Coordinates of all heavy atoms in Angstrom, one line a residue:
E81 N 58.4 126.1 194.2 CA 58.0 127.1 195.1 C 59.1 128.2 195.2 O 60.2 127.8 195.4 CB 57.7 126.5 196.5 CG 57.3 127.6 197.5 CD 57.0 126.9 198.8 OE1 55.9 126.5 199.0 OE2 58.0 126.8 199.6
A82 N 58.7 129.4 195.0 CA 59.7 130.5 195.0 C 60.1 130.7 196.5 O 59.3 130.6 197.4 CB 59.1 131.7 194.4
T83 N 61.4 131.1 196.7 CA 61.8 131.4 198.0 C 61.4 132.8 198.4 O 61.3 133.7 197.6 CB 63.4 131.4 198.1 OG1 63.9 132.3 197.1 CG2 63.9 130.0 197.8
A84 N 61.0 132.9 199.6 CA 60.4 134.2 200.1 C 61.6 135.2 200.4 O 62.7 134.8 200.9 CB 59.6 134.0 201.4
A85 N 61.4 136.4 200.1 CA 62.4 137.4 200.3 C 62.5 137.7 201.8 O 61.4 137.9 202.4 CB 62.1 138.7 199.5
K86 N 63.7 137.8 202.3 CA 63.8 138.2 203.7 C 63.8 139.7 203.8 O 64.2 140.4 202.9 CB 65.2 137.6 204.2 CG 65.2 136.1 204.3 CD 66.4 135.6 204.9 CE 66.4 134.1 205.1 NZ 66.4 133.4 203.9
P87 N 63.4 140.2 205.0 CA 63.3 141.7 205.1 C 64.7 142.2 205.1 O 65.7 141.6 205.4 CB 62.7 141.9 206.5 CG 62.9 140.6 207.2 CD 62.9 139.5 206.2
A88 N 64.8 143.5 204.7 CA 66.1 144.2 204.6 C 66.7 144.3 206.0 O 66.0 144.5 207.0 CB 66.0 145.6 204.0
K89 N 68.0 144.2 206.1 CA 68.7 144.2 207.4 C 68.8 145.7 207.8 O 69.4 146.5 207.2 CB 70.1 143.6 207.2 CG 70.9 143.5 208.5 CD 72.2 142.8 208.2 CE 73.0 142.8 209.5 NZ 74.3 142.1 209.2
P90 N 68.1 146.0 209.0 CA 68.2 147.4 209.5 C 69.7 147.7 209.9 O 70.4 146.8 210.3 CB 67.3 147.4 210.7 CG 66.5 146.2 210.6 CD 67.3 145.2 209.8
A91 N 70.0 149.0 209.8 CA 71.4 149.4 210.0 C 71.9 149.1 211.4 O 72.9 148.5 211.6 CB 71.5 150.9 209.7
N92 N 71.1 149.5 212.4 CA 71.6 149.4 213.8 C 70.8 148.4 214.7 O 71.3 148.1 215.7 CB 71.5 150.8 214.5 CG 72.3 151.8 213.8 OD1 73.4 151.5 213.3 ND2 71.8 153.0 213.7
N93 N 69.7 147.9 214.3 CA 68.9 147.1 215.2 C 68.7 145.7 214.7 O 67.8 145.0 215.1 CB 67.5 147.7 215.3 CG 67.5 149.1 215.8 OD1 68.4 149.4 216.6 ND2 66.6 149.9 215.5
W94 N 69.6 145.1 214.0 CA 69.5 143.8 213.5 C 69.8 142.8 214.7 O 70.7 142.9 215.4 CB 70.5 143.5 212.4 CG 70.4 142.1 211.8 CD1 71.3 141.1 212.0 CD2 69.4 141.6 211.0 NE1 70.9 140.0 211.3 CE2 69.7 140.3 210.7 CE3 68.2 142.1 210.5 CZ2 68.9 139.4 210.0 CZ3 67.4 141.3 209.7 CH2 67.8 140.0 209.5
H95 N 68.9 141.8 214.8 CA 69.0 140.8 215.9 C 69.3 139.5 215.2 O 68.6 139.1 214.3 CB 67.7 140.8 216.7 CG 67.5 142.1 217.4 ND1 68.0 142.3 218.7 CD2 66.8 143.2 217.0 CE1 67.6 143.5 219.0 NE2 66.9 144.1 218.1
R96 N 70.2 138.7 215.8 CA 70.7 137.5 215.2 C 69.5 136.5 215.1 O 68.8 136.3 216.1 CB 71.8 136.9 216.0 CG 72.4 135.6 215.4 CD 73.6 135.3 216.1 NE 74.6 136.3 215.9 CZ 75.8 136.1 215.4 NH1 76.2 134.9 215.1 NH2 76.7 137.1 215.2
M97 N 69.4 135.8 214.0 CA 68.4 134.8 213.8 C 69.1 133.5 213.5 O 69.9 133.4 212.6 CB 67.5 135.2 212.6 CG 66.5 136.3 213.0 SD 65.3 136.8 211.7 CE 64.8 135.2 211.1
A98 N 68.7 132.5 214.3 CA 69.2 131.1 214.1 C 68.3 130.3 213.1 O 67.3 130.8 212.7 CB 69.3 130.4 215.4
A99 N 68.7 129.1 212.9 CA 67.9 128.3 212.0 C 66.5 128.0 212.5 O 65.5 128.0 211.8 CB 68.6 126.9 211.8
R100 N 66.4 128.0 213.8 CA 65.0 127.8 214.4 C 64.1 128.9 214.2 O 62.9 128.8 214.0 CB 65.2 127.5 215.9 CG 65.7 128.6 216.7 CD 65.9 128.2 218.2 NE 66.5 129.4 218.9 CZ 66.3 129.6 220.1 NH1 65.6 128.8 220.8 NH2 66.8 130.7 220.7
H101 N 64.7 130.2 214.0 CA 63.8 131.3 213.7 C 63.3 131.2 212.3 O 62.1 131.5 212.0 CB 64.7 132.6 213.8 CG 65.0 133.0 215.1 ND1 66.2 132.6 215.7 CD2 64.4 133.8 216.1 CE1 66.3 133.1 216.9 NE2 65.2 133.8 217.2
H102 N 64.1 130.7 211.4 CA 63.6 130.5 210.0 C 62.6 129.3 209.9 O 61.7 129.4 209.1 CB 64.8 130.2 209.1 CG 65.8 131.4 209.0 ND1 65.4 132.6 208.4 CD2 67.0 131.6 209.6 CE1 66.4 133.4 208.5 NE2 67.4 132.8 209.2
R103 N 62.7 128.3 210.8 CA 61.7 127.3 210.8 C 60.4 127.8 211.4 O 59.3 127.5 210.9 CB 62.2 126.1 211.7 CG 63.3 125.3 211.0 CD 63.6 123.9 211.7 NE 63.3 123.8 213.1 CZ 64.2 123.7 214.1 NH1 65.5 123.8 213.8 NH2 63.8 123.6 215.3
L104 N 60.5 128.7 212.3 CA 59.3 129.4 212.9 C 58.6 130.2 211.8 O 57.4 130.2 211.7 CB 59.7 130.2 214.1 CG 58.5 131.0 214.7 CD1 57.4 130.1 215.2 CD2 59.0 131.9 215.8
V105 N 59.4 130.9 211.0 CA 58.8 131.7 209.9 C 58.1 130.8 209.0 O 56.9 131.1 208.5 CB 59.9 132.5 209.2 CG1 59.4 133.1 207.9 CG2 60.5 133.6 210.1
A106 N 58.7 129.7 208.6 CA 58.0 128.7 207.7 C 56.7 128.2 208.3 O 55.7 128.1 207.6 CB 59.0 127.6 207.4
E107 N 56.7 127.9 209.6 CA 55.5 127.5 210.2 C 54.4 128.5 210.2 O 53.2 128.3 210.0 CB 55.8 127.0 211.7 CG 56.5 125.7 211.8 CD 55.6 124.5 211.5 OE1 54.4 124.6 211.8 OE2 56.1 123.6 210.9
L108 N 54.8 129.8 210.5 CA 53.8 130.9 210.6 C 53.3 131.2 209.2 O 52.1 131.7 209.1 CB 54.5 132.1 211.2 CG 54.8 132.0 212.7 CD1 55.6 133.1 213.2 CD2 53.5 131.9 213.5
K109 N 54.0 131.0 208.2 CA 53.5 131.2 206.8 C 52.5 130.2 206.4 O 51.8 130.4 205.4 CB 54.7 131.3 205.8 CG 55.4 132.6 206.0 CD 56.5 132.8 204.9 CE 57.2 134.1 205.1 NZ 58.1 134.3 204.0
R110 N 52.4 129.1 207.1 CA 51.4 128.1 206.8 C 50.0 128.5 207.2 O 49.0 127.9 206.7 CB 51.8 126.7 207.4 CG 53.0 126.1 206.9 CD 53.5 124.9 207.6 NE 52.4 123.9 207.7 CZ 52.3 122.9 208.6 NH1 53.2 122.8 209.5 NH2 51.3 122.1 208.6
G111 N 49.9 129.4 208.1 CA 48.6 129.9 208.6 C 48.6 130.2 210.1 O 49.6 130.0 210.7
Y112 N 47.5 130.6 210.6 CA 47.4 130.9 212.0 C 47.6 129.7 212.8 O 47.1 128.6 212.6 CB 46.0 131.4 212.3 CG 45.8 132.9 212.0 CD1 45.0 133.2 210.9 CD2 46.4 133.9 212.7 CE1 44.8 134.6 210.5 CE2 46.2 135.2 212.4 CZ 45.4 135.5 211.3 OH 45.2 136.9 211.0
Q113 N 48.5 129.9 213.9 CA 48.8 128.8 214.8 C 49.0 129.3 216.2 O 49.4 130.5 216.4 CB 50.0 128.0 214.4 CG 49.9 127.3 213.0 CD 51.1 126.5 212.7 OE1 51.5 125.7 213.5 NE2 51.7 126.7 211.6
S114 N 48.7 128.6 217.2 CA 48.9 129.0 218.6 C 50.3 128.7 219.0 O 51.0 127.9 218.4 CB 47.9 128.2 219.5 OG 48.2 126.9 219.5
V115 N 50.7 129.3 220.1 CA 52.1 129.1 220.6 C 52.3 127.7 221.1 O 53.3 127.1 220.8 CB 52.4 130.1 221.7 CG1 53.6 129.8 222.5 CG2 52.4 131.5 221.1
P116 N 51.3 127.0 221.8 CA 51.6 125.6 222.2 C 51.8 124.7 220.9 O 52.6 123.8 221.0 CB 50.4 125.2 223.0 CG 49.9 126.5 223.5 CD 50.1 127.5 222.5
V117 N 51.0 124.9 219.9 CA 51.2 124.1 218.7 C 52.5 124.4 218.0 O 53.2 123.4 217.6 CB 50.0 124.4 217.7 CG1 50.3 123.8 216.3 CG2 48.7 123.9 218.3
L118 N 52.9 125.6 218.0 CA 54.2 126.0 217.4 C 55.3 125.3 218.2 O 56.3 124.8 217.7 CB 54.4 127.5 217.3 CG 53.6 128.2 216.3 CD1 53.6 129.7 216.6 CD2 54.0 127.9 214.9
A119 N 55.2 125.4 219.5 CA 56.2 124.8 220.4 C 56.3 123.3 220.2 O 57.4 122.7 220.1 CB 55.9 125.1 221.9
G120 N 55.2 122.6 220.0 CA 55.2 121.2 219.7 C 55.8 120.9 218.4 O 56.6 119.9 218.3
N121 N 55.5 121.7 217.4 CA 56.0 121.4 216.0 C 57.5 121.6 216.0 O 58.2 121.0 215.2 CB 55.3 122.3 215.0 CG 53.9 121.9 214.8 OD1 53.5 120.8 215.2 ND2 53.1 122.8 214.2
L122 N 58.0 122.6 216.7 CA 59.4 123.0 216.7 C 60.2 122.3 217.8 O 61.4 122.5 217.9 CB 59.6 124.5 216.7 CG 59.0 125.3 215.5 CD1 59.2 126.8 215.7 CD2 59.7 124.8 214.2
E123 N 59.5 121.6 218.6 CA 60.1 120.8 219.7 C 60.9 121.7 220.7 O 62.1 121.5 220.9 CB 61.0 119.7 219.2 CG 60.2 118.7 218.4 CD 61.1 117.6 217.8 OE1 62.3 117.7 217.9 OE2 60.5 116.6 217.3
C124 N 60.3 122.8 221.1 CA 60.9 123.7 222.1 C 59.9 124.2 223.1 O 58.7 123.8 223.0 CB 61.6 124.9 221.4 SG 60.5 125.9 220.4
K125 N 60.3 125.0 224.0 CA 59.3 125.5 225.0 C 58.5 126.7 224.5 O 58.9 127.4 223.6 CB 60.1 126.0 226.3 CG 60.8 124.9 227.0 CD 61.5 125.4 228.2 CE 62.3 124.3 228.9 NZ 62.9 124.8 230.1
K126 N 57.3 126.9 225.1 CA 56.5 128.0 224.7 C 57.2 129.3 224.9 O 57.1 130.3 224.1 CB 55.2 128.0 225.5 CG 54.3 126.9 225.2 CD 52.9 127.0 225.9 CE 53.1 126.8 227.4 NZ 51.8 126.8 228.1
Q127 N 58.0 129.5 226.0 CA 58.7 130.7 226.3 C 59.7 131.0 225.1 O 59.9 132.2 224.8 CB 59.5 130.6 227.6 CG 58.6 130.5 228.8 CD 58.1 129.1 229.1 OE1 58.3 128.2 228.4 NE2 57.4 129.0 230.2
S128 N 60.3 129.9 224.6 CA 61.2 130.1 223.4 C 60.5 130.7 222.2 O 61.0 131.5 221.5 CB 61.9 128.8 223.1 OG 62.6 128.3 224.1
I129 N 59.3 130.2 222.0 CA 58.4 130.7 220.9 C 58.2 132.2 221.0 O 58.3 133.0 220.1 CB 57.1 129.9 220.7 CG1 57.4 128.4 220.4 CG2 56.2 130.5 219.7 CD1 58.1 128.2 219.1
Y130 N 57.8 132.6 222.3 CA 57.5 134.0 222.5 C 58.8 134.9 222.3 O 58.7 135.9 221.7 CB 57.0 134.2 223.9 CG 55.6 133.8 224.1 CD1 55.3 132.8 225.0 CD2 54.5 134.4 223.5 CE1 53.9 132.4 225.2 CE2 53.2 134.0 223.6 CZ 52.9 133.0 224.5 OH 51.6 132.6 224.7
A131 N 59.9 134.4 222.7 CA 61.2 135.1 222.5 C 61.5 135.2 221.0 O 61.9 136.2 220.5 CB 62.3 134.4 223.2
M132 N 61.3 134.1 220.3 CA 61.5 134.1 218.8 C 60.6 135.0 218.1 O 61.0 135.7 217.1 CB 61.5 132.7 218.2 CG 62.7 131.8 218.6 SD 62.8 130.3 217.7 CE 61.5 129.3 218.6
L133 N 59.3 135.1 218.5 CA 58.4 136.0 217.9 C 58.8 137.5 218.1 O 58.7 138.3 217.2 CB 57.0 135.8 218.5 CG 56.2 134.6 218.1 CD1 55.0 134.4 219.0 CD2 55.8 134.7 216.6
T134 N 59.3 137.8 219.3 CA 59.9 139.1 219.5 C 61.0 139.4 218.6 O 61.1 140.5 218.1 CB 60.3 139.2 221.0 OG1 59.2 139.0 221.8 CG2 60.9 140.6 221.3
T135 N 61.9 138.5 218.4 CA 63.1 138.7 217.5 C 62.6 138.9 216.1 O 63.1 139.8 215.4 CB 64.0 137.5 217.6 OG1 64.5 137.3 219.0 CG2 65.2 137.6 216.7
L136 N 61.6 138.1 215.7 CA 61.1 138.3 214.3 C 60.5 139.7 214.1 O 60.8 140.3 213.1 CB 60.0 137.2 214.0 CG 60.5 135.8 213.9 CD1 59.3 134.9 213.6 CD2 61.6 135.6 212.9
K137 N 59.8 140.1 215.1 CA 59.2 141.5 215.0 C 60.3 142.6 215.0 O 60.2 143.5 214.2 CB 58.3 141.8 216.2 CG 57.0 140.9 216.2 CD 56.2 141.2 217.4 CE 55.0 140.2 217.6 NZ 54.3 140.4 218.8
K138 N 61.3 142.4 215.8 CA 62.4 143.4 215.8 C 63.2 143.4 214.5 O 63.8 144.4 214.1 CB 63.4 143.1 216.9 CG 62.8 143.4 218.3 CD 63.8 143.1 219.4 CE 63.3 143.5 220.7 NZ 64.3 143.1 221.8
N139 N 63.2 142.2 213.8 CA 63.9 142.1 212.5 C 63.0 142.5 211.3 O 63.4 142.3 210.2 CB 64.4 140.7 212.3 CG 65.7 140.5 213.1 OD1 66.4 141.5 213.4 ND2 65.9 139.3 213.5
G140 N 61.8 143.0 211.5 CA 61.0 143.6 210.5 C 59.9 142.6 209.9 O 59.2 143.0 209.0
Y141 N 59.8 141.4 210.5 CA 58.7 140.6 210.0 C 57.3 141.1 210.5 O 57.3 141.6 211.6 CB 58.9 139.1 210.5 CG 60.0 138.4 209.7 CD1 61.3 138.4 210.2 CD2 59.6 137.7 208.6 CE1 62.2 137.7 209.5 CE2 60.6 137.0 207.9 CZ 61.9 137.0 208.3 OH 62.8 136.3 207.6
T142 N 56.3 141.0 209.7 CA 55.0 141.3 210.1 C 54.3 140.1 210.7 O 53.9 139.2 209.9 CB 54.2 141.9 208.9 OG1 54.9 143.0 208.4 CG2 52.8 142.3 209.4
V143 N 54.1 140.1 212.0 CA 53.5 138.9 212.6 C 52.0 139.4 213.0 O 51.8 140.3 213.8 CB 54.2 138.5 213.9 CG1 53.5 137.4 214.6 CG2 55.6 138.1 213.6
Q144 N 51.1 138.7 212.3 CA 49.7 139.1 212.6 C 49.2 138.3 213.8 O 49.5 137.1 213.9 CB 48.8 138.8 211.4 CG 49.2 139.7 210.2 CD 48.3 139.4 209.0 OE1 47.7 138.3 208.9 NE2 48.2 140.4 208.1
I145 N 48.4 138.9 214.6 CA 47.9 138.3 215.8 C 46.3 138.3 215.7 O 45.8 139.4 215.5 CB 48.3 139.0 217.1 CG1 49.8 139.0 217.2 CG2 47.7 138.3 218.3 CD1 50.4 139.9 218.3
H146 N 45.7 137.2 215.9 CA 44.2 137.1 215.8 C 43.8 136.8 217.3 O 44.1 135.8 217.8 CB 43.8 136.1 214.8 CG 42.3 136.0 214.7 ND1 41.5 137.0 214.2 CD2 41.4 135.0 215.1 CE1 40.2 136.7 214.2 NE2 40.2 135.5 214.8
H147 N 43.0 137.7 217.8 CA 42.5 137.5 219.2 C 41.2 136.7 219.1 O 40.3 137.0 218.4 CB 42.2 138.8 219.9 CG 43.5 139.6 220.1 ND1 44.2 139.5 221.2 CD2 44.1 140.5 219.3 CE1 45.3 140.3 221.1 NE2 45.2 140.9 220.0
L148 N 41.1 135.6 219.9 CA 39.9 134.8 219.8 C 38.9 135.1 220.9 O 37.9 134.4 221.0 CB 40.4 133.3 219.9 CG 41.3 132.8 218.8 CD1 41.7 131.4 219.1 CD2 40.5 132.8 217.5
G149 N 39.2 136.1 221.7 CA 38.3 136.4 222.8 C 38.7 135.9 224.1 O 39.9 135.6 224.3
S150 N 37.8 135.7 225.0 CA 38.1 135.2 226.3 C 38.5 133.7 226.2 O 38.0 133.0 225.4 CB 37.0 135.4 227.3 OG 35.9 134.6 226.8
R151 N 39.4 133.3 227.1 CA 39.9 132.0 227.2 C 38.8 131.0 227.6 O 38.2 131.2 228.7 CB 41.1 131.8 228.1 CG 41.7 130.5 228.1 CD 42.9 130.4 228.9 NE 43.3 129.1 229.1 CZ 44.2 128.5 228.3 NH1 44.8 129.2 227.4 NH2 44.6 127.2 228.6
Q152 N 38.5 130.0 226.9 CA 37.6 129.0 227.3 C 38.3 127.6 227.2 O 39.4 127.5 226.7 CB 36.4 129.0 226.3 CG 35.6 130.2 226.3 CD 34.6 130.3 225.2 OE1 34.5 129.3 224.4 NE2 33.8 131.3 225.1
A153 N 37.7 126.6 227.8 CA 38.3 125.3 227.8 C 38.7 124.8 226.4 O 37.8 124.8 225.5 CB 37.4 124.3 228.5
G154 N 39.9 124.5 226.2 CA 40.4 124.0 224.9 C 40.6 125.0 223.8 O 40.9 124.7 222.7
R155 N 40.5 126.3 224.2 CA 40.8 127.4 223.2 C 41.9 128.2 223.6 O 42.2 128.4 224.8 CB 39.5 128.3 223.1 CG 38.4 127.6 222.3 CD 37.3 128.6 222.0 NE 37.8 129.6 221.2 CZ 37.1 130.7 220.9 NH1 35.9 130.8 221.3 NH2 37.6 131.6 220.1
Y156 N 42.6 128.8 222.7 CA 43.7 129.7 222.9 C 43.2 131.1 222.8 O 42.2 131.4 222.0 CB 44.8 129.5 221.9 CG 45.3 128.0 222.0 CD1 45.0 127.2 220.9 CD2 46.0 127.5 223.0 CE1 45.5 125.9 220.9 CE2 46.4 126.2 223.1 CZ 46.1 125.4 222.0 OH 46.5 124.1 222.0
M157 N 43.8 132.1 223.4 CA 43.4 133.5 223.3 C 43.9 134.1 222.1 O 43.2 135.0 221.5 CB 43.8 134.3 224.6 CG 43.1 133.9 225.8 SD 43.5 134.9 227.2 CE 43.0 136.5 226.7
K158 N 45.1 133.8 221.6 CA 45.7 134.4 220.5 C 46.3 133.3 219.6 O 46.8 132.3 220.0 CB 46.9 135.3 220.9 CG 46.4 136.5 221.7 CD 47.7 137.3 222.1 CE 47.3 138.4 223.0 NZ 48.5 139.1 223.5
I159 N 46.2 133.6 218.3 CA 46.9 132.8 217.3 C 47.7 133.7 216.4 O 47.4 134.9 216.2 CB 45.9 131.9 216.5 CG1 44.8 132.7 215.9 CG2 45.4 130.7 217.3 CD1 43.8 131.9 215.0
Y160 N 48.8 133.2 215.8 CA 49.8 134.0 215.1 C 50.0 133.5 213.7 O 49.9 132.3 213.5 CB 51.1 134.0 215.8 CG 51.0 134.5 217.3 CD1 50.6 133.6 218.3 CD2 51.3 135.8 217.6 CE1 50.6 134.1 219.6 CE2 51.3 136.2 218.9 CZ 50.9 135.4 219.9 OH 50.8 135.8 221.2
R161 N 50.4 134.4 212.8 CA 50.8 134.0 211.5 C 51.6 135.1 210.8 O 51.6 136.3 211.3 CB 49.6 133.7 210.6 CG 48.9 134.9 210.0 CD 47.9 134.5 208.9 NE 47.4 135.8 208.4 CZ 46.8 135.8 207.2 NH1 46.6 134.8 206.5 NH2 46.3 137.0 206.8
I162 N 52.3 134.8 209.8 CA 53.0 135.7 208.9 C 52.4 135.7 207.6 O 52.3 134.6 207.0 CB 54.5 135.4 208.8 CG1 55.2 135.7 210.2 CG2 55.2 136.3 207.8 CD1 56.7 135.3 210.2
P163 N 51.9 136.8 207.0 CA 51.2 136.7 205.7 C 52.2 136.3 204.6 O 53.4 136.7 204.7 CB 50.8 138.2 205.5 CG 51.3 139.0 206.6 CD 51.9 138.1 207.6
A164 N 51.7 135.5 203.7 CA 52.6 134.9 202.7 C 52.9 135.9 201.6 O 52.5 137.0 201.5 CB 51.9 133.7 202.1

């Protein structure tokens, strides 16, 4: 498997990414996933996932969001992915 190219480092707005950010990128490249599922897979809080998603967006990653409509029992409103 070829390694994915990381986005170019912006001159003034680069935000530090830890190893957990790179694990999140790998998870998101597997396909659409909800925040609770990502939090369980990465063993962290949902709030941490939202913060890491913000950092990824600030660093130039394209995070696609799919809206599932209104919240129903057992369904999430949004799922996220990074196109491969």
Side-chain angles (χ1 to χ4, degrees):
E81 178 178 275
T83 57
K86 293 184 175 68
K89 183 176 179 179
N92 298 327
N93 297 334
W94 182 252
H95 298 271
R96 183 172 297 235
M97 287 181 42
R100 64 186 179 151
H101 290 89
H102 297 289
R103 290 196 330 254
L104 177 60
V105 169
E107 285 289 324
L108 290 171
K109 285 187 176 183
R110 292 176 53 202
Y112 281 107
Q113 297 186 53
S114 66
V115 170
V117 170
L118 291 167
N121 290 346
L122 298 177
E123 298 177 353
C124 62
K125 295 182 180 182
K126 291 186 294 184
Q127 293 85 353
S128 298
I129 298 294
Y130 286 116
M132 288 190 284
L133 285 169
T134 301
T135 301
L136 293 179
K137 290 177 190 176
K138 287 180 179 180
N139 284 332
Y141 283 93
T142 302
V143 178
Q144 294 180 340
I145 303 170
H146 182 68
H147 296 272
L148 298 175
S150 62
R151 183 177 171 94
Q152 298 173 356
R155 287 189 60 186
Y156 305 109
M157 289 184 63
K158 297 178 185 176
I159 51 178
Y160 302 84
R161 79 169 183 162
I162 292 179

